[in-house]
Amino acid sequence: MPYIGTLQICGNFTFCLLYKWLNRKPSENEKFNQKLCVLIRDAYEEKSGILGYRQMTIKLNRENEFQVNAKRILRLMRILHLKSVCRRRRRNYVKSTPEVTAENILNREFHAERFGEKWLTDVTEMKYGASGKAYLSAIVDLADKSIVSFVIGHSNNNAHVKSIPMY
């Protein structure tokens, strides 16, 4: 009996308490936990280990006539040594070669003597809301760093940049 050595360290040990504990009847809570462990393991194997304790709680509460707390599911999953498999996020980025590469006319000389001599354009992506994006395309004059014209749109393409009105 592996418990005897541990119980003797605690002191005030009697064998009648040990046998009483070994021969006890499981409580309603323990019976329910055993039933719950079977359901947890079945749901875990059904979903190939993807479910964590939160999703497991939602699944069990929806499919059965009882309501179980997430902390109880977490505790039982730890006892069963079940952990969710974290899926890696897939990147949506696709490498591509640019359609048009502009010629290097400025040659890194970003100053101008007169207004209207050198203009630059750039597209800036701005995120708003849950998943919305807007693209700001502006033309900047290098003489005084002022914005000559701009346009805001929902797509980033050459037609968007070319649609900038000149004032």
Side-chain angles (χ1 to χ4, degrees):
M1 287 187 198
Y3 304 112
I4 295 176
T6 346
L7 292 174
Q8 284 178 343
I9 294 171
C10 298
N12 293 342
F13 168 73
T14 57
F15 281 97
C16 64
L17 289 176
L18 173 65
Y19 289 113
K20 184 176 181 181
W21 183 81
L22 288 175
N23 297 326
R24 78 191 190 293
K25 294 180 182 175
S27 67
E28 293 298 319
N29 232 359
E30 287 179 285
K31 290 177 188 176
F32 184 68
N33 281 344
Q34 289 172 353
K35 177 184 165 188
L36 206 52
C37 284
V38 172
L39 292 173
I40 289 172
R41 189 172 297 279
D42 291 343
Y44 185 82
E45 291 170 359
E46 175 190 336
K47 295 293 184 177
S48 304
I50 291 175
L51 296 180
Y53 76 95
R54 291 184 181 106
Q55 289 297 319
M56 183 72 71
T57 305
I58 292 169
K59 179 177 174 47
L60 292 176
N61 286 338
R62 283 183 183 164
E63 293 179 358
N64 299 298
E65 67 276 358
F66 52 79
Q67 293 292 314
V68 185
N69 191 348
K71 292 181 206 174
R72 183 181 220 171
I73 299 295
L74 174 64
R75 180 173 46 82
L76 293 175
M77 284 182 73
R78 283 182 179 165
I79 290 170
L80 295 171
H81 302 291
L82 300 178
K83 291 185 178 181
S84 65
V85 177
C86 296
R87 293 174 284 182
R88 297 184 82 182
R89 291 180 101 186
R90 292 191 179 135
R91 300 290 180 198
N92 294 336
Y93 180 72
V94 178
K95 286 187 177 181
S96 63
T97 57
E99 294 176 16
V100 178
T101 304
E103 189 179 337
N104 188 5
I105 299 171
L106 290 179
N107 202 17
R108 301 192 59 84
E109 294 177 14
F110 298 112
H111 61 279
E113 302 298 327
R114 296 176 283 138
F115 179 78
E117 183 182 0
K118 295 179 184 178
W119 285 358
L120 302 177
T121 184
D122 189 24
V123 179
T124 304
E125 177 183 290
M126 298 178 291
K127 295 181 181 179
Y128 64 91
S131 63
K133 290 182 182 179
Y135 297 94
L136 169 68
S137 181
I139 294 180
V140 179
D141 186 9
L142 282 180
D144 59 352
K145 310 291 191 272
S146 64
I147 295 177
V148 177
S149 183
F150 69 92
V151 67
I152 297 175
H154 291 288
S155 63
N156 183 15
N157 54 23
N158 288 340
H160 175 73
V161 175
K162 291 177 183 176
S163 69
I164 298 176
M166 296 297 164
Y167 299 111

